[in-house]
């Protein structure tokens, strides 16, 4: 077994998207090879409807998959194919844009006005760029949850973990998407396939992720002073951790516990031509997508 070294720890950056939704972006619109097959990750969270209510009006996607995970509030969605629905708290939508789709996503808060969710973009390989669009809407009650003897809780959104398989399937990158909560003071190790790119995103509490990359690691808390490996700074709310190669990730929860997403996928390793919500392999394909948008042929007929 080998612990994955920490390549980078960085805070998500405040930005705006859609019609003025205030959110934090952990990565996106930079180096697409950094976390291949993943392109972008947004944390949209607010207690004031003024900062999210205008939502994400009609916009196109082609060549990618979008994964929306809602923790609080609801997201109503509709698209150019006639699909519509509402994602409630705890639910997931996996949308394969494929050859092209126009859709909108409009968030509403819970009874206290709170809205919280995540959106992850996954790239599609060249062979699937122009596949027919499809949706997978998964209710929160249908997502398996495993609780270990030490109180560690894991929701398995996709992939297989601790004997449970997530309900989202048929995704090109064959990802593993886990929502993990580790109680205060507990140290826990999680297995990840060696050949996958992996990252963690902390969104509650704080924890120290074990780092085997070298002597610069620092032991920070009294309860982890006996650790046999180096530990970097405690990672708190809205922190992205990028991991190197290995087959284990270990975290030591802080005084209030830690909750984070642990996401990994098989890299596609293909050229990327990217403009806004459209991601193709070549500039020629990207330009064709723009022409399709302009001349009304972006939505392809079903076969």
């Amino acid at each position: 077994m080998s612990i994955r070294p920490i390549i980078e720890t960085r805070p998500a950056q405040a930005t705006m998207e859609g019609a003025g939704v205030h959110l934090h972006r952990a990565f996106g619109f930079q180096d697409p090879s950094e976390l291949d097959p993943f392109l972008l990750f947004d944390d949209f969270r607010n207690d004031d409807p003024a900062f999210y209510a205008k939502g994400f009006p009609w916009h196109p996607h082609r060549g990618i998959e979008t994964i929306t995970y809602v923790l609080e509030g609801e997201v109503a969605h509709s698209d150019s194919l006639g699909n519509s629905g509402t994602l409630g708290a705890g639910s997931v939508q996996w949308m394969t844009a494929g050859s092209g789709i126009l859709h909108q996503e409009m968030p509403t808060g819970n009874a206290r006005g709170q809205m919280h969710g995540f959106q992850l973009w996954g790239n599609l390989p060249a062979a699937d760029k122009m596949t027919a669009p499809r949706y997978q809407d998964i209710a929160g009650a249908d997502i398996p949850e495993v609780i270990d003897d030490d109180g560690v809780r894991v929701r398995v959104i996709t992939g297989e973990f601790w004997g449970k398989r997530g309900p989202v399937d048929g995704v090109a990158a064959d990802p593993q998407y886990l929502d993990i909560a580790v109680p205060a003071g507990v140290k826990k190790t999680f297995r990840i396939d060696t050949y996958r790119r992996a990252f963690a995103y902390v969104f509650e509490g704080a924890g120290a992720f074990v780092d085997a990359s070298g002597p610069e690691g620092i032991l920070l808390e009294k309860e982890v002073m006996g650790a046999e490996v180096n530990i970097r700074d405690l990672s708190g709310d809205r922190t992205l951790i990028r991991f190197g190669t290995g087959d284990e990730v270990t975290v030591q929860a802080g005084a209030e516990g830690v909750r984070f997403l642990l996401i990994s996928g098989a890299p596609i390793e293909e050229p990327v031509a990217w403009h806004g919500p459209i991601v193709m392999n070549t500039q020629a394909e990207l330009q064709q997508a723009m022409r399709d948008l302009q001349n009304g042929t972006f939505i392809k007929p079903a076969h």
Side-chain angles (χ1 to χ4, degrees):
M1 303 298 175
S2 60
I3 295 172
R4 285 179 175 248
I6 296 172
I7 296 175
E8 180 185 18
T9 299
R10 69 177 184 236
Q13 299 299 307
T15 187
M16 282 197 297
E17 277 294 348
V21 177
H22 293 241
L23 52 80
H24 283 74
R25 178 161 293 154
F27 62 88
F29 297 108
Q30 294 173 330
D31 180 2
S33 68
E34 183 178 79
L35 282 165
D36 178 21
F38 306 114
L39 298 164
L40 175 145
F41 182 87
D42 284 343
D43 177 351
F44 50 98
R45 181 192 330 182
N46 214 289
D47 295 343
D48 185 347
F51 294 113
Y52 62 76
K54 293 183 179 179
F56 307 91
W58 292 99
H59 58 281
H61 284 294
R62 177 180 285 181
I64 65 171
E65 299 181 287
T66 66
I67 304 95
T68 306
Y69 179 30
V70 178
L71 294 183
E72 296 287 350
E74 297 181 340
V75 176
H77 66 89
S78 54
D79 68 34
S80 52
L81 302 178
N83 299 306
S84 63
T86 300
L87 302 176
S91 62
V92 174
Q93 181 192 83
W94 204 293
M95 184 195 75
T96 303
S99 60
I101 200 166
L102 299 172
H103 78 155
Q104 66 173 351
E105 301 149 303
M106 307 303 289
T108 56
N110 60 19
R112 299 180 299 280
Q114 297 169 319
M115 178 67 219
H116 190 190
F118 307 104
Q119 188 165 92
L120 175 69
W121 290 12
N123 198 7
L124 282 170
D128 296 327
K129 286 288 188 189
M130 298 299 286
T131 193
R134 70 178 184 128
Y135 281 94
Q136 296 181 69
D137 282 3
I138 309 295
D142 295 328
I143 297 174
E145 182 174 278
V146 187
I147 303 177
D148 209 0
D149 293 341
D150 54 9
V152 173
R153 177 177 55 81
V154 180
R155 299 190 82 212
V156 186
I157 293 166
T158 186
E160 189 168 351
F161 190 77
W162 286 355
K164 299 289 186 179
R165 175 163 287 278
V168 179
D169 62 7
V171 179
D174 188 28
Q176 186 180 63
Y177 191 131
L178 309 174
D179 175 355
I180 299 173
V182 181
V186 172
K187 183 179 178 183
K188 196 71 172 179
T189 296
F190 304 93
R191 294 293 307 280
I192 300 178
D193 188 293
T194 304
Y195 300 101
R196 293 169 177 264
R197 299 271 170 79
F199 71 91
Y201 182 75
V202 178
F203 62 94
E204 284 182 15
F209 285 83
V210 168
D211 181 21
S213 61
E216 71 278 7
I218 303 171
L219 294 170
L220 287 180
E221 289 199 332
K222 184 177 181 180
E223 63 264 28
V224 299
M225 289 299 286
E228 297 177 355
V229 289
N230 296 315
I231 295 178
R232 285 193 176 176
D233 298 353
L234 284 174
S235 297
D237 188 22
R238 294 193 177 106
T239 300
L240 172 76
I241 301 99
R242 287 202 299 130
F243 299 105
T245 303
D247 54 19
E248 290 184 346
V249 167
T250 297
V251 63
Q252 168 76 52
E256 298 179 356
V258 63
R259 188 174 177 189
F260 60 97
L261 303 178
L262 183 59
I263 300 174
S264 61
I268 296 172
E269 297 180 336
E270 292 179 351
V272 172
W274 185 358
H275 181 76
I278 299 172
V279 183
M280 305 304 290
N281 291 100
T282 68
Q283 286 298 317
E285 292 170 338
L286 195 59
Q287 291 163 8
Q288 181 61 55
M290 298 303 166
R291 288 193 294 269
D292 290 348
L293 272 173
Q294 293 168 359
N295 62 27
T297 61
F298 188 78
I299 307 302
K300 304 302 180 185
H303 296 293

